[in-house]
Every structure is written in structure tokens, then in C-alpha cells.
Amino acid sequence: MKKQLVIIGGGPAGLAAAVAAYDAGVRDMVVIEREEKAGGILKQCIHNGFGLTRFKESMTGPEYAQRFLDEVQKRGIEVRTNTFVTALSPEKQVTCRSEEGIFTYEADAVILAMGCRERSKGALNIAGTRPAGLYSAGTAQKYVNIFGHLPGKKVVILGSGDIGLIMARRMTLEGAKVECVCEIMEHSSGLKRNIAQCLDDFGIPLYLEHTIVEIKGDERVEGVVIAKVDKEKKPVPGTEREIACDTVLFSVGLIPENELTKGAALPLDPRTKGCLVDGSRETDIPGIFACGNVLHVHDLVDFVSEEAEIAGRAAAEYILCGEREKQLVLTSAGENVAYVLPQRVEKGRDVKLYFRVRSAFRGAVIRVEAGSVQKAYKRIAVAPGEMDNVTLKAADLTDADNIRVSVLREG
Amino acid sequence: MERQFVCIECPRGCALTVTTDGKTVNVTGNFCPRGKKYAEAEVSCPRRVVTSSVRGMSAMIPVKTRGEVKKENIFAVMKRIRALRINRDVALGEVLDPDIDGEGTPLIATAQYHREQTDGQ
């Protein structure tokens, strides 16, 4: 089957990309969604706080998703639900499986919008048995919010990412006792407001530089042993403490879901765990674009939508105007910067550079070096949990052979 | 008296300081007017939007309070939310309980819901 544009994934990225591609003139397209309904992870994120940047109002996840579902529906864009993509080839063949069987789209362009998955407990190497009661925070979120089941009554949460914090509040509201949240780092990777409204509001303690060293219980979790960690993140002997609980939630990071991407032999960036892209979110294969959490994990859905629109418009341009000769310049992460996205920038176009810092501090200066052009931007505070961005004009890039972003302490 | 808060109005999370001397309330550290309003409410009567889900026939319906409820009423509100049962189609934004906190705050659906819909994902 021929298709001008195939979008893999019907979450916030896929939906926004579809709308943008349609508005840029593409009509022959399909969004492939494995679940019964499109909307992605937003369907289970029933808390508010979404959309403040984009819509200037605080929305819940389902409300934010519905805005885009309405736009998709208004345009009559085909969304194929209950359909699973099993393979993507470098020639842009997208093989799908659904109740109707196995079929393949021959696409002119493909947008990768598969999102991310949770890092599992298995990746952590915690001693102990494998009793019932261990969940990733997102799985527990799905049980509570979608299925209406409370996974446990006495809870310890490992990891203070936003999903863990949100679930601390959610479980508390549903009648569970959340004993504590343990965070191995010196600071939480979650948003400050989530520590305030999800932990402090309910008197839930956050133990920084602490981890779980043992899980107790055979059939069901009966408790955990937590301990303080030293600078090397190794447990400090003598600081162990047992906490009785029947449930442990793991909120220990998100990983872009790139199995299909690897199948297409696209190289991944070891830092972002996503594709290498240019400013239009085009990957190493012309006509394959990537956006949203499959490209790099975002903190805010507002930025996912924005990135997906870039990819959607670029895919439309590729389909309607053909492949474009691009003169690319690499970006690089300087001092205290974990990564910069996009990894390359096209000369002659404006570009917004997204980046994450390595450590949190107050009073920061962002320095951008692009050939003879040097720019500095002040920030009151920076933190690894808060992706930042700066915009460069096409004129800034004329003599640059590399664009370096550094974040320095002020003064 | 001086108190510190983290503003929850947006992802910026401003560090707010509120000084009160009985008559006047002074807020510093806020980036925008919402922070000032939030801090003033925190020292007089803290309020929160409550989000949860309500049991439909065969699936859960996400809900929120339209407006904030008093923080001290959150668990009473949750008790009423848990007792609700919905056996009809619901539109996004539809009021499921006109007064969920006893002070006139409505509870609304944040997604559309069809009676026959399942929680199949």
C-alpha cells in the first residue's frame, strides 16, 4: 500500500505532527496507534499542569490530548488504532499488524513518534527476592487511573522523577500510605512544584542520597531496606534502615522506544538514546523524521507538541517539494551540558537549540559559540530536570563550523 | 512572620517568600502575578485543584474540580469522588457533581466517556 506519510505513534507527538503536516498540504497520511484509543500516555496522566506554555491554561492530560484529537478529527486524518508496527525498513516500508492481518505501507516519508518507556527495576541490581508488589510508577498509574485498582496500601517509591512524585500524591489520595520517596542523587529530577504539591502537601518525606538496598518478602513485598549513599553512590554501611511496605514503585528514568529505529539501521545518540537529527528533525535517512519522547525525553508535553510540529512541517516539505540539499553544522555539548538537540543545524535557517545541564545551580550563563558569533544568556537557575532552549538566527550561523553550548556559573 | 513556598502555578517553580505582620502581606521571589496570588492564598487559606477518576460502568472517567477546593477539604472531596458511580454517557467538561466540596465547587469530567466503553488499551 502506498502512503505519502506514515506517522508511527498516536500520542501527543504523533497527533501534533499529523496536524502540522496536514496544514502544510499533505492529505495522504495515516497515524498508526497500537492502543484502542489515540492520546498516548496523556490518557493516564489525569493530573493538571499541562498546557501552561502552549495554551496558557492548566489542563489535565486527557484534556490536552483531546485538543489535538479534535484537530485531527476536524481534518479527517486517518488514525489506525489497535495496530502495531512490527518493522520499519531503511526504504521506508512500514509493516503493521492488526486484526485485519499483516500489511505494509510504502511511505514517501515516515515520522517516528513512538514515545518512551520506563526504565525497569531489572536495570537497578537490587538484592532480594521477586515478590508481588513491585511496579514501575507508570504501570501503577495505569492501574489506578485507567483500571481503577489500587496496587497497594503501604508504599515506598524509589526515584523522584515526576511520575514518582505524581504517583506519591495519587496513591495518598486513594487511601494508601506513602512512607517515603528515596532519591539516589543530591537533588530530585522532578519539577520543584511537584515536590511541593505532591510530597510536602501530604507530609511525605523525600530522602535525598538514599537508595533501596534490599527488598524483603517472598509472595508479597513485606518491606525494603534503605540506606544512605556516598559520593560514589555506594550504600554507606551502618546507615541501613528497614521500612515495612507492601508495594514499591520505581520511578527511575525513561528511555526512548527505539526498537523500530534500530531495525531501520538508524544510528542513535548515546546521550539522548534517540536518533541524530537536524533542525527539521530529519534523521540520517532522508524522509524519516523523529519527534517527541522517542527523540529525547521531554519534561513538558508543550515542547513535545512544538517539536512534533517542526517534524510534521518538514515531512510535508519533503513530500511536496522533494529532498533538499542541506549544508549542516554540528552542535556540541560544552561545559556542564549533557546534550544539545538537534545534533546538527542547517545553515540558512533559524534554529532553536534545546539542551540539558549536568548539574543544578543558581546564577547561570548560557554561552553559545558559533564561529565568530558568541552569545550569552542569563538564567536565575538551571537544573538537569528542566530542559532549556535558546534560539539562533540564520545570520548567526554564516561562518560557523560548529555550534557549542556551555553553561557556566555567573561571575 | 516569614514563610517560604515553592509556587505550583507553573513549571518554573519560583521560590516565594511571604512576610506578614498581621495587617500587610508582602511577597517576594515571584516571577509573575500568579505567584503573588498563590503565596497570599497559602498564608490565609491554601487551595488546590483535585484531580482523580470516577467509576463508570466498565471504565474509569478522569475528573477534576472546576476551581480549587480548600486544602483541608481534599480528603473529604476524595471520599465523595470515590462514592460516585456514573451510568451514562458523559461529555468532556460535563458536571458530574455540582458541589463536591460543600462550598459550591463542581466536579467535571476531563474526558468524554461512553457507557459501553471498556478500559481496553
Side-chain angles (χ1 to χ4, degrees):
Chain A
M1 215 173 342
K2 289 254 181 224
K3 217 32 131 179
Q4 281 190 322
L5 176 59
V6 174
I7 298 173
I8 307 175
L15 296 175
V19 171
Y22 185 98
D23 291 350
V26 179
R27 294 292 176 272
D28 181 32
M29 72 167 118
V30 62
V31 179
I32 314 280
E33 169 55 46
R34 68 179 168 194
E35 297 197 340
E36 196 178 304
K37 276 190 286 181
I41 205 66
L42 289 173
K43 297 199 297 285
Q44 69 182 59
C45 297
I46 63 169
H47 53 280
N48 62 343
F50 297 92
L52 280 160
T53 307
R54 189 185 176 94
F55 296 111
K56 309 286 174 234
E57 59 177 298
S58 177
M59 306 158 85
T60 65
E63 290 171 315
Y64 190 96
Q66 195 58 48
R67 289 276 173 110
F68 287 87
L69 287 165
D70 288 346
E71 295 301 318
V72 163
Q73 205 177 8
K74 219 187 284 174
R75 289 164 179 75
I77 297 169
E78 183 189 0
V79 181
R80 215 169 169 140
T81 55
N82 286 321
T83 304
F84 194 89
V85 176
T86 56
L88 167 69
S89 79
E91 295 75 34
K92 288 170 276 187
Q93 293 155 318
V94 184
T95 305
C96 307
R97 210 196 64 186
S98 76
E99 280 181 342
E100 290 150 56
I102 296 171
F103 51 92
T104 300
Y105 289 109
E106 314 267 340
D108 293 339
V110 174
I111 298 177
L112 308 175
M114 293 90 80
C116 59
R117 63 183 139 89
E118 294 181 278
R119 202 160 151 243
S120 68
K121 171 196 170 280
L124 298 180
N125 265 328
I126 297 173
T129 48
R130 296 288 179 272
L134 309 176
Y135 302 91
S136 66
T139 304
Q141 187 179 47
K142 189 165 186 171
Y143 281 162
V144 176
N145 295 346
I146 305 284
F147 301 134
H149 303 308
L150 191 62
K153 295 276 171 62
K154 268 171 86 71
V155 189
V156 169
I157 299 177
L158 179 64
S160 62
D162 285 312
I163 312 171
L165 299 176
I166 292 292
M167 280 314 290
R169 175 176 65 181
R170 188 76 188 105
M171 299 282 284
T172 305
L173 288 177
E174 289 296 345
K177 171 92 171 76
V178 178
E179 298 292 338
C180 64
V181 176
C182 292
E183 169 59 57
I184 197 164
M185 306 297 285
E186 297 154 324
H187 53 82
S188 165
S189 58
L191 295 171
K192 289 189 283 287
R193 67 164 174 172
N194 282 340
I195 293 174
Q197 65 181 347
C198 298
L199 301 187
D200 299 349
D201 267 9
F202 301 96
I204 301 167
L206 169 62
Y207 299 136
L208 297 173
E209 297 184 283
H210 273 74
T211 192
I212 294 175
V213 291
E214 191 184 345
I215 292 166
K216 303 224 168 196
D218 293 321
E219 295 287 306
R220 176 85 201 188
V221 176
E222 287 164 15
V224 294
V225 179
I226 68 167
K228 205 176 174 339
V229 297
D230 60 22
K231 290 281 168 249
E232 276 77 51
K233 307 297 167 210
K234 298 269 181 276
V236 178
T239 64
E240 297 89 353
R241 181 148 60 103
E242 192 168 334
I243 298 175
C245 62
D246 60 19
T247 304
V248 183
L249 302 189
F250 295 89
S251 177
V252 289
L254 300 167
I255 305 165
E257 180 74 79
N258 272 305
E259 297 310 312
L260 291 171
T261 319
K262 288 178 204 160
L266 277 165
L268 299 182
D269 184 328
R271 296 159 303 177
T272 58
K273 314 269 191 296
C275 283
L276 301 155
V277 293
D278 62 29
S280 67
R281 303 303 185 270
E282 191 166 25
T283 67
D284 284 280
I285 299 177
I288 299 185
F289 301 80
C291 56
N293 283 350
V294 78
L295 184 57
H296 59 137
V297 175
H298 295 63
D299 326 303
L300 300 175
V301 70
D302 308 61
F303 291 121
V304 168
S305 305
E306 181 184 83
E307 180 169 271
E309 286 164 345
I310 295 171
R313 282 192 297 268
E317 191 182 333
Y318 176 88
I319 291 164
L320 302 172
C321 311
E323 198 178 332
R324 194 173 66 240
E325 195 66 41
K326 292 179 178 179
Q327 203 193 339
L328 296 170
V329 181
L330 295 181
T331 62
S332 63
E335 194 177 329
N336 197 32
V337 173
Y339 73 79
V340 181
L341 194 129
Q343 290 87 351
R344 43 202 181 224
V345 168
E346 190 182 350
K347 281 203 174 179
R349 295 214 170 188
D350 297 353
V351 68
K352 202 163 169 180
L353 297 173
Y354 292 88
F355 57 92
R356 256 180 220 287
V357 296
R358 285 188 192 279
S359 61
F361 55 85
R362 294 185 69 77
V365 179
I366 297 156
R367 185 193 292 163
V368 181
E369 298 155 277
S372 62
V373 175
Q374 291 221 1
K375 294 195 171 245
Y377 309 83
K378 280 192 181 185
R379 292 290 185 272
I380 298 166
V382 290
E386 290 164 33
M387 193 166 69
D388 203 340
N389 67 74
V390 294
T391 300
L392 296 185
K393 294 276 168 208
D396 297 332
L397 308 175
T398 40
D399 71 344
D401 50 12
N402 185 291
I403 301 166
R404 189 175 176 81
V405 181
S406 316
V407 178
L408 312 168
R409 281 175 199 275
E410 208 169 6
Chain B
M1 198 177 62
E2 195 178 284
R3 290 178 69 187
Q4 313 276 338
F5 299 102
V6 170
C7 184
I8 65 167
E9 294 292 321
C10 89
R12 185 185 289 269
C14 290
L16 308 173
T17 303
V18 190
T19 17
T20 46
D21 63 0
K23 268 205 257 167
T24 57
V25 178
N26 186 39
V27 181
T28 56
N30 57 307
F31 184 79
C32 78
R34 281 180 307 176
K36 184 172 184 305
K37 204 169 143 246
Y38 173 76
E40 285 166 356
E42 282 301 280
V43 292
S44 54
C45 176
R47 303 177 76 92
R48 297 286 183 270
V49 169
V50 174
T51 63
S52 186
S53 48
V54 162
R55 219 161 274 279
M57 284 297 281
S58 52
M60 302 298 287
I61 309 161
V63 295
K64 71 175 179 186
T65 57
R66 193 167 67 202
E68 296 159 324
V69 302
K70 282 184 184 159
K71 204 169 145 183
E72 67 203 50
N73 288 342
I74 288 176
F75 284 96
V77 165
M78 278 304 300
K79 204 173 163 190
R80 292 192 56 167
I81 289 175
R82 267 201 300 279
L84 274 176
R85 293 290 180 275
I86 303 294
N87 181 17
R88 58 182 160 88
D89 289 356
V90 168
L92 194 161
E94 191 172 324
V95 175
L96 300 183
D97 185 329
D99 180 9
I100 198 72
D101 63 345
E103 300 193 352
T105 311
L107 185 78
I108 63 168
T110 56
Q112 53 189 328
Y113 166 75
H114 301 292
R115 233 179 127 244
E116 274 91 37
Q117 118 185 16
T118 65
D119 56 17
Q121 290 294 306

